Amino acid sequence: MKLSTLFIIPFLVISMGAKAHGPTPKKADKSIIINASIDKVWAVIKNFDDISNWHPDVISSIGDGKNESGSERRITLESGVLEEGLDYFSDADHEYNYRLKTENTDVFPVSSYTTGIQLIAEDDINTKVKWKSRYYRGDTGNTPPKRLNDEAAVKAMNSFIENGLQGLKETLEK
Amino acid sequence: MLRLTFALLYGFSSIVASNPYFYINQQQGESVSVFKRTDLTLKTTIPTLKGPAGIAISSHNPWLAITYPELGMISFIDNEKLIPLEHISVGGSPFGAVFAGNLLFISDWSSNTVKIIHPGTGRMIKKITVGKSPAGIATNACESQVWVLNREDNSISVIDTHYFKVIKSIAVGKAPFALAMDDKFAYIANSQGNTLSIVDLTDLTEIKRISVGRMPYGVAVDRKHHKVYVSNQLENTVSVLDSRTQKVIRTLKTGAYPENIAVDEENQHLFVLNWFDGSLSVFNNQTDKEINRINVGDGSRAFGQFVGKSVECTK
């Protein structure tokens, strides 16, 4: 008998009690076209601390005003305060990246996220705003409660991004 | 189990020819995709449990191990016949995995331990306490040590694979996550420090910490061309170091969120898994030019050495 045939062991199907899901990172990839030049859109969103000027879910926001790697901001949502840190900022590319600095799942049911916002000029008077995020659900343990599971995280993140893009569009097109 | 043990006893005396495939987990699904190293085509997919994340390939036996952090499970797969062998419950959150000799070492980020599994019996033969949130794990060429990165402790635990003991803790940069080794050094990506720690394998001390890109998430070594590749997750780039001068010599553009990274020295390929795009960038590792980009699917993940390597122990 060939040695290699000895490796074949019947595939044991193990029934999993709970419908567990891997701690799989989730992604959001959304965009919107705004009827305004790239410079105008950038002027509204470039100040990392001023998100409350255009995002309807953000009641207030405060930061160091520097717009550089290492800058931080505190954003106040209806549910409470989140701290975010700026990782990358490029005036030339009309782009910045930031991440959740301190986990607070009572405020937002996502345990960590990194987000990138970038502008692309469609033409002289239209701009595409791209919003990308990679994130994990609120409770990455094996049996998350319902309010901290994948579904809750996806819902909260999608809603936050969509509201933000829509708010930005309304701010610029009004 | 007995049959696996039997095979192990015999199989161990001869070195298995270099495995012709590389493997990418479908973490959002329940399978591992198997690609041919020569022509980069999909050979088959093997069913797994839900949410496969970590990968290890044995250098001595036709074994592939897969981890499921959420299920507290691992699987062994026959990497020649491409069929599942068995699933084993190990508890906790098994994440990184590496074979050393005839044993599998896995990092369990929720229990802060490295668990040692005997593939033949499926039994856990030892549990070693390491630092907080152990993630990346690797062996030296002779497999006499297993190195594990403690992400929340900013340190490495070096485990002696004969005595099953931590013989040294080494402080590195912030949030070490992935590593690779050549004959002289280990290279550690400090994900939140945006740095690469270079640690001497002889005296087990950090000799240098150099700046790379934002959120370095994967490291691969190309011994033939004296290069170290570091994927920068938040920058969509790979930093290329000359391992002789220990300086960054160039930066490669990748897809979005490059994470897991590996070198296939035999076929002169560097693989970069672009997590956000669900694609794999293939570079020629001699020229560092991207020669192909393969669709591997949304939610693909391959945490660990996902291409077999032929490493010679010169001791």
Side-chain angles (χ1 to χ4, degrees):
Chain A
M1 199 188 327
K2 268 171 66 186
L3 184 66
S4 52
T5 58
L6 296 171
F7 276 96
I8 304 170
I9 286 179
F11 181 25
L12 305 176
V13 177
I14 293 174
S15 78
M16 307 306 303
K19 274 242 166 77
H21 217 79
T24 310
K26 296 288 172 193
K27 85 175 180 190
D29 190 6
K30 298 185 182 297
S31 62
I32 201 165
I33 305 279
I34 293 178
N35 181 223
S37 69
I38 192 165
D39 291 339
K40 278 187 183 155
V41 181
W42 185 240
V44 171
I45 68 159
K46 70 177 276 185
N47 287 324
F48 187 56
D49 307 333
D50 292 342
I51 184 173
S52 60
N53 288 356
W54 53 272
H55 199 306
D57 298 352
V58 181
I59 297 163
S60 66
S61 51
I62 185 167
D64 61 15
K66 286 183 185 157
N67 293 338
E68 61 186 29
S69 177
S71 289
E72 289 170 19
R73 72 180 178 195
R74 287 163 58 86
I75 63 169
T76 304
L77 311 179
E78 210 169 275
S79 49
V81 176
L82 290 180
E83 286 177 31
E84 296 176 322
L86 191 60
D87 284 315
Y88 175 74
F89 185 90
S90 170
D91 249 322
D93 293 331
H94 306 98
E95 180 185 8
Y96 53 83
N97 299 162
Y98 60 94
R99 85 177 94 112
L100 180 66
K101 201 163 179 337
T102 318
E103 175 181 328
N104 189 344
T105 53
D106 290 336
V107 176
F108 198 66
V110 171
S111 57
S112 72
Y113 56 77
T114 55
T115 293
I117 296 180
Q118 189 180 15
L119 307 184
I120 310 278
E122 291 281 295
D123 52 41
D124 289 349
I125 52 160
N126 288 290
T127 303
K128 186 181 210 176
V129 183
K130 290 165 67 170
W131 192 319
K132 289 180 171 184
S133 194
R134 180 188 190 273
Y135 60 100
Y136 288 91
R137 67 167 176 249
D139 183 342
T140 53
N142 288 4
T143 50
K146 210 173 168 191
R147 64 172 197 91
L148 296 176
N149 64 14
D150 278 339
E151 205 184 335
V154 170
K155 196 176 163 212
M157 186 58 86
N158 283 344
S159 154
F160 187 80
I161 296 174
E162 280 159 12
N163 292 348
L165 288 172
Q166 198 55 44
L168 184 61
K169 187 177 173 75
E170 281 163 21
T171 303
L172 277 147
E173 291 181 358
K174 72 182 170 194
Chain B
M1 307 280 181
L2 204 78
R3 277 176 284 181
L4 193 59
T5 312
F6 183 68
L8 188 149
L9 287 171
Y10 286 83
F12 201 63
S13 57
S14 65
I15 301 280
V16 172
S18 187
N19 186 278
Y21 309 114
F22 65 93
Y23 308 87
I24 307 283
N25 287 322
Q26 302 301 315
Q27 198 185 12
Q28 276 181 7
E30 297 173 51
S31 66
V32 55
S33 300
V34 182
F35 293 87
K36 286 192 234 166
R37 282 165 66 169
T38 46
D39 64 6
L40 310 172
T41 56
L42 181 70
K43 164 90 175 165
T44 187
T45 57
I46 304 169
T48 64
L49 303 178
K50 227 173 191 177
I55 271 189
I57 300 169
S58 169
S59 302
H60 311 290
N61 297 286
W63 298 341
L64 176 74
I66 304 284
T67 65
Y68 311 90
E70 198 76 18
L71 303 179
M73 304 277 298
I74 60 169
S75 294
F76 286 106
I77 287 169
D78 185 318
N79 72 22
E80 285 174 353
K81 298 195 166 305
L82 306 177
I83 49 167
L85 295 173
E86 58 184 325
H87 306 309
I88 297 164
S89 176
V90 294
S93 304
F95 187 33
V98 70
F99 285 97
N102 61 346
L103 298 171
L104 182 72
F105 289 67
I106 49 184
S107 58
D108 177 351
W109 85 38
S110 59
S111 74
N112 304 330
T113 58
V114 165
K115 290 171 173 170
I116 305 173
I117 310 296
H118 183 258
T121 57
R123 282 176 61 185
M124 190 187 304
I125 58 170
K126 183 92 184 178
K127 206 154 82 170
I128 302 170
T129 299
V130 291
K132 263 199 239 165
S133 305
I137 190 166
T139 56
N140 58 349
C142 295
E143 300 183 353
S144 60
Q145 292 170 357
V146 162
W147 291 40
V148 62
L149 306 181
N150 307 306
R151 193 174 185 275
E152 303 301 319
D153 265 346
N154 308 328
S155 69
I156 306 167
S157 296
V158 179
I159 295 167
D160 182 298
T161 57
H162 184 70
Y163 295 105
F164 300 156
K165 268 190 189 154
V166 174
I167 53 169
K168 178 109 193 240
S169 284
I170 307 165
V172 287
K174 198 171 176 203
F177 190 70
L179 78 163
M181 297 185 201
D182 61 18
D183 302 334
K184 291 190 182 127
F185 302 105
Y187 305 89
I188 290 99
N190 301 307
S191 63
Q192 285 171 25
N194 303 335
T195 55
L196 186 79
S197 288
I198 303 177
V199 178
D200 189 301
L201 295 185
T202 310
D203 60 11
L204 306 182
T205 51
E206 183 184 26
I207 57 153
K208 213 166 181 182
R209 198 178 293 179
I210 59 169
S211 287
V212 288
R214 285 175 288 124
M215 196 66 106
Y217 227 66
V219 187
V221 162
D222 175 356
R223 288 166 306 160
K224 193 175 158 200
H225 300 107
H226 311 285
K227 284 191 283 199
V228 181
Y229 295 100
V230 183
S231 58
N232 302 304
Q233 189 209 43
L234 293 185
E235 200 173 87
N236 303 340
T237 62
V238 166
S239 301
V240 187
L241 268 81
D242 184 322
S243 61
R244 292 164 298 190
T245 60
Q246 299 179 334
K247 291 203 163 85
V248 176
I249 50 171
R250 66 181 71 91
T251 304
L252 317 179
K253 270 300 222 187
T254 64
Y257 282 71
E259 299 190 357
N260 311 120
I261 182 168
V263 167
D264 177 352
E265 290 192 10
E266 285 164 47
N267 295 287
Q268 297 222 359
H269 288 151
L270 163 71
F271 298 118
V272 183
L273 183 57
N274 304 307
W275 178 83
F276 205 93
D277 295 343
S279 69
L280 188 79
S281 291
V282 183
F283 291 85
N284 176 315
N285 66 355
Q286 198 174 2
T287 61
D288 286 338
K289 298 270 185 267
E290 186 170 356
I291 52 169
N292 209 332
R293 199 173 283 199
I294 306 165
N295 178 29
V296 290
D298 242 16
S300 288
R301 202 115 185 260
F303 186 69
Q305 181 69 36
F306 60 93
V307 186
K309 49 177 185 177
S310 43
V311 175
E312 273 175 47
C313 172
T314 48
K315 218 173 239 176

